[in-house]
Amino acid sequence: MTHPSAISQTAATPQMPEVVTGDPHPTQENFIGWLLGARALPSIRANLRRGDRPALADRAYPHLARFWTNQPSTRSSILLLAAAAAEYPRIGHIGDNQHHFAIASRILVPRGERLEGSSVGARLLAVQRQSLPNTHRMLAGIFRGLHDHGAAINWSALWGTYRSWDHPNPATRRGVRRRLLEDFFAGAISEDARNTTRPCPEPTIGDA
């Protein structure tokens, strides 16, 4: 028979989350590949989702700390991106330039609505002077929309955006942030051309 004190001691011992080891020498280069595989496991996904909640982020450390060991400055970006990937598992991955986050986000703009007047465009403008944690929170609506559509993005490219969002070099930081705007609003060029290009009217008598 188990002694009562042993039972209470066992109950008081927290269960450590399961750790996906994957590559024995994890690097930031294979972080995305690991992340997309790990989020398919419910127990891992539950812990990764806590990465963007300061009071609970420690639950994600057993899975993620090894990725920032040699670059501690990337801790926040790794935690936040992993939280997004885990929170929105229906957002797939396609690693090409046409699936950058802002480009993929155009799908959320109702047909016939101009990109520059859309709520998505307004949100991408609003985050330009925000820190990465604030930006991550403000982009939640876009993530949710992409998730609901079952859309795909280039998670590797978004990782690069997160990693450099708060870069200490102002020029680098500005370039990374404005790339979101360039990617999104570039779609307005083709829309404007389609909406404004019409056959020239035939001249009528009296036209000068």
Side-chain angles (χ1 to χ4, degrees):
M1 180 176 178
T2 306
H3 194 278
S5 62
I7 295 176
S8 61
Q9 182 177 2
T10 301
T13 303
Q15 295 294 312
M16 288 299 292
E18 177 187 0
V19 176
V20 174
T21 55
D23 191 320
H25 301 291
T27 66
Q28 295 202 357
E29 285 66 32
N30 60 33
F31 167 56
I32 293 299
W34 176 89
L35 176 61
L36 296 178
R39 70 174 180 173
L41 304 174
S43 60
I44 306 299
R45 184 169 66 246
N47 290 316
L48 295 180
R49 289 174 61 186
R50 296 182 171 98
D52 60 359
R53 307 171 199 176
L56 300 173
D58 58 299
R59 300 299 291 169
Y61 275 51
H63 309 293
L64 300 175
R66 56 210 170 93
F67 289 106
W68 68 66
T69 298
N70 297 322
Q71 289 184 271
S73 62
T74 62
R75 180 188 298 112
S76 179
S77 59
I78 288 174
L79 286 167
L80 295 176
L81 188 76
E87 183 71 26
Y88 307 104
R90 291 189 61 210
I91 302 179
H93 171 69
I94 298 181
D96 62 26
N97 292 336
Q98 296 306 309
H99 286 82
H100 282 199
F101 179 78
I103 296 175
S105 298
R106 294 178 198 160
I107 195 175
L108 305 179
V109 180
R111 188 172 181 81
E113 182 177 326
R114 298 178 67 86
L115 295 181
E116 59 267 35
S118 67
S119 61
V120 177
R123 193 160 301 196
L124 295 178
L125 280 167
V127 301
Q128 290 297 304
R129 290 171 177 78
Q130 297 295 323
S131 66
L132 179 60
N134 285 341
T135 295
H136 174 77
R137 285 191 290 271
M138 294 172 71
L139 294 179
I142 297 179
F143 277 117
R144 192 174 304 111
L146 293 171
H147 175 82
D148 292 343
H149 277 75
I153 66 173
N154 186 333
W155 282 100
S156 296
L158 185 59
W159 160 227
T161 299
Y162 266 52
R163 184 170 48 189
S164 299
W165 190 264
D166 287 332
H167 197 282
N169 183 299
T172 300
R173 184 170 65 243
R174 189 181 306 115
V176 167
R177 297 180 179 195
R178 289 184 178 175
R179 175 67 188 273
L180 281 181
L181 301 178
E182 293 172 355
D183 284 348
F184 182 77
F185 289 111
I189 297 174
S190 58
E191 284 193 359
D192 287 345
R194 184 173 63 250
N195 293 334
T196 61
T197 302
R198 299 182 177 84
C200 293
E202 292 292 329
T204 56
I205 297 175
D207 283 348

